[in-house]
């Protein structure tokens, strides 16, 4: 994956802008010697915003943009002039990107539509100028409000492919061969395990004027949900699929057992995946005769629709498409198509992606206000030394 352009996992350090300090300026003019306070408010700090872009298909640009910092708001000025707001930093991401806290692994947000904007980190509010605090008994306040501090967070961005059908199977089950046979996708195909090293998408035409999207992920092995093999890095891609197509080759020693192992791994990775619509395809069926096919059919599970297919000869492909189309458009499937993202598994961490983060030294002013929260900021706690002159 290091040399591939398909990057579906990246860790970045984000920091919003600090709010500008309010001014404690006093108005002075030739004929107005005691004009009173007129210090303006500080500007708002810049936000960190995620924006969906349907033209992106990978997180590769963020591999070379690991630190995203918004600018600070400027301080207020005289004549009640408000300081300039900090510049927002907009991070464009592919549709289907999810964001997790890098420290705790908690799910934060996701971007699922083109043009959708999600405010990841809010910029600090600007401080109020001293004219806000003038009263009948205190006509010359010599203090102003400091701006709110910046927010900083290391986050992990994961891309989960958007597809209608997700292929699930052991290595060399024929998933890539099927995808290449029924769509224009050209995944790598060879006669050794783990040929597929990254997910692939293909658009499958259905009866002329219809189509659906099929996603192929690298083969999973028993124990994939615990971090074995490549499965843990790619099982997340089937979370957004409406239907799961399990594929077991016809030459398997025990087709039913293999299907149950695959279902167990999917369920342990995310229990809600077991509630998705499922279809079982017996691949490489061209090597079976009618008698052997009938014997195998008697041992197949009863709780899932089954079809015998061969991507080489085209056997059962039309039947498979019809079955998938019905499952995709069933009312039950549409009502149950919700996603609850599992917490980021620390065994899933990619060391080469994590080692770039380094501690940023804080300025003295940031250290002073690092522990402030909104309640502290709204209280009448004014530090004359930390305010700025107009």
């Amino acid at each position: 994956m290091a040399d591939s352009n398909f990057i579906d996992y990246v860790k970045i350090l984000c920091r919003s802008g600090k709010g500008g300090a309010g001014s404690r300026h006093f108005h002075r003019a030739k004929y107005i010697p005691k004009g009173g306070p007129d210090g303006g408010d500080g500007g708002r700090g810049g936000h960190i915003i995620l924006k969906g872009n349907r033209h992106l298909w990978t997180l590769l640009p963020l591999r070379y943009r690991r630190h995203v910092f918004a600018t600070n708001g400027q301080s207020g000025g005289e004549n009640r002039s408000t300081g300039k707001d900090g510049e927002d930093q907009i991070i464009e991401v592919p549709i289907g990107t999810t964001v997790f806290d890098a420290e705790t692994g908690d799910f934060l947000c996701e971007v699922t539509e083109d043009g959708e904007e999600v405010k990841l980190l809010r910029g600090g509010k600007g401080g109020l100028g001293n004219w806000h605090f003038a009263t009948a008994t205190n006509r010359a306040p010599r203090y102003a409000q400091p701006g709110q501090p910046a927010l900083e967070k290391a986050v992990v961005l994961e891309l989960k492919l958007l597809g209608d059908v997700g292929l699930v199977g052991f290595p060399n089950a024929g998933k890539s061969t099927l995808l290449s046979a029924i769509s224009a996708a050209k995944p790598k195909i060879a006669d050794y395990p783990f040929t597929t090293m990254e997910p692939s998408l293909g658009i499958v035409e259905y009866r002329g004027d219809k189509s659906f999207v099929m996603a192929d992920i690298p083969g999973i092995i028993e124990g994939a949900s615990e971090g074995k093999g490549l499965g843990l890095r790619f099982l997340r891609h089937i979370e957004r699929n409406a239907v799961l197509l399990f594929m077991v080759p016809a030459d398997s020693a025990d087709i039913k057992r293999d299907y149950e192992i695959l279902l167990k791994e999917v369920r342990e990775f995310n229990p809600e995946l077991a509630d998705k619509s499922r279809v079982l395809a017996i691949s490489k069926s061209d090597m079976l005769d009618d008698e052997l096919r009938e014997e195998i059919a008697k041992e197949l599970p009863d709780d899932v629709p089954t079809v015998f297919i061969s991507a080489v000869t085209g056997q059962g492909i039309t039947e498979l498409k019809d079955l998938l189309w019905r499952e995709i458009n069933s009312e039950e499937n549409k009502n149950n198509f919700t996603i609850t993202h599992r917490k980021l598994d620390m065994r899933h961490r990619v060391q080469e992606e994590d080692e770039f983060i380094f501690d940023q030294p804080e300025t003295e002013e940031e250290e002073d206000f690092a522990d402030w929260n909104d309640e502290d900021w709204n209280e009448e706690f004014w530090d004359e030394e930390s305010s700025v002159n107009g």
Side-chain angles (χ1 to χ4, degrees):
M1 291 296 293
D3 298 328
S4 173
N5 285 334
F6 181 79
I7 302 298
D8 59 356
Y9 174 101
V10 68
K11 179 180 177 182
I12 62 175
L13 180 65
C14 299
R15 180 191 294 169
S16 63
K18 177 164 59 77
S23 172
R24 52 190 179 95
H25 186 270
F26 289 89
H27 181 70
R28 292 292 182 266
K30 185 175 181 180
Y31 300 107
I32 311 177
K34 297 181 180 180
D38 69 345
D41 302 340
R44 169 187 61 81
H47 302 310
I48 302 294
I49 300 173
L50 296 178
K51 184 177 181 180
N53 186 340
R54 62 185 177 90
H55 299 293
L56 296 178
W57 61 278
T58 174
L59 296 172
L60 179 64
L62 291 177
R63 168 169 279 192
Y64 308 104
R65 189 189 176 192
R66 300 298 187 83
H67 299 84
V68 182
F69 298 152
T71 59
N72 298 330
Q74 294 184 1
S75 301
E78 59 186 41
N79 295 325
R80 301 187 183 182
S81 299
T82 301
K84 182 180 179 181
D85 290 343
E87 182 178 354
D88 297 337
Q89 287 292 325
I90 298 178
I91 307 173
E92 293 194 344
V93 295
I95 299 173
T97 299
T98 55
V99 185
F100 297 87
D101 189 309
E103 301 300 327
T104 64
D106 294 333
F107 169 76
L108 299 179
C109 62
E110 62 180 337
V111 180
T112 58
E113 298 180 4
D114 182 44
E116 178 184 2
E117 293 188 357
V118 178
K119 191 178 296 181
L120 183 60
L121 293 180
R122 177 174 54 84
K125 296 179 181 178
L128 301 179
N130 63 344
W131 73 272
H132 287 278
F133 311 111
T135 64
T137 56
N138 184 16
R139 297 185 179 183
R142 297 183 178 276
Y143 45 78
Q145 195 175 32
Q148 276 189 325
L151 299 178
E152 182 176 290
K153 185 181 293 291
V155 297
V156 169
L157 275 64
E158 286 189 346
L159 175 59
K160 300 181 180 181
L161 296 181
L162 297 171
D164 299 305
V165 179
L167 295 175
V168 183
F170 292 115
N172 270 15
K175 302 186 298 301
S176 298
T177 303
L178 174 64
L179 184 64
S180 65
I182 63 178
S183 73
K186 302 298 180 184
K188 184 178 180 180
I189 300 173
D191 59 354
Y192 55 83
F194 296 110
T195 308
T196 302
M197 297 297 292
E198 61 186 44
S200 300
L201 287 178
I203 299 177
V204 181
E205 293 186 0
Y206 177 71
R207 299 197 179 276
D209 59 341
K210 304 180 182 69
S211 65
F212 57 87
V213 179
M214 181 175 286
D216 175 26
I217 68 170
I220 62 177
I221 62 176
E222 187 172 5
S225 60
E226 301 175 357
K228 295 181 181 179
L230 299 175
L232 193 60
R233 290 198 60 183
F234 299 110
L235 272 172
R236 65 177 178 274
H237 288 290
I238 64 175
E239 286 185 316
R240 294 194 186 279
N241 301 149
V243 178
L244 302 183
L245 175 57
F246 289 81
M247 292 187 63
V248 180
D251 57 357
S252 170
D254 190 336
I255 294 178
K256 183 177 181 181
R257 179 180 177 276
D258 286 351
Y259 166 73
E260 291 174 348
I261 291 175
L262 292 171
L263 183 59
K264 174 177 175 290
E265 295 301 324
V266 168
R267 183 182 290 115
E268 291 185 354
F269 177 78
N270 188 341
E272 293 195 3
L273 290 178
D275 298 331
K276 290 183 179 290
S277 297
R278 304 191 299 273
V279 174
L280 175 60
I282 310 303
S283 61
K284 306 178 183 179
S285 296
D286 53 302
M287 64 178 65
L288 303 177
D289 55 25
D290 293 340
E291 183 179 353
L292 188 54
R293 187 179 296 108
E294 291 178 0
E295 290 295 325
I296 293 177
K298 296 178 182 178
E299 300 177 357
L300 296 179
D302 300 327
D303 60 341
V304 58
T306 307
V307 59
F308 288 85
I309 65 170
S310 172
V312 176
T313 65
Q315 172 192 342
I317 296 300
T318 301
E319 181 184 354
L320 175 63
K321 288 183 180 181
D322 291 338
L323 184 56
L324 292 174
W325 185 259
R326 287 197 301 270
E327 292 293 333
I328 292 171
N329 294 280
S330 65
E331 289 299 325
E332 181 180 357
N333 183 55
K334 292 180 179 179
N335 295 334
N336 292 333
F337 188 53
T338 57
I339 300 174
T340 300
H341 299 279
R342 68 196 295 270
K343 189 173 181 178
L344 187 66
D345 197 323
M346 296 308 171
R347 294 168 298 186
H348 171 52
R349 305 303 288 271
V350 183
Q351 287 301 120
E352 62 268 22
E353 297 290 344
D354 287 349
E355 291 174 353
F356 81 97
I357 290 292
F358 55 89
D359 293 331
Q360 293 285 327
E362 292 183 332
T363 64
E364 292 184 1
E365 188 174 359
E366 287 174 336
E367 290 176 352
D368 291 339
F369 302 113
D371 297 329
W372 277 32
N373 55 34
D374 287 342
E375 294 181 358
D376 297 329
W377 189 82
N378 289 326
E379 292 178 356
E380 291 187 3
F381 178 78
W382 319 115
D383 185 354
E384 184 173 345
E385 296 299 326
S386 63
S387 301
V388 297
N389 284 311

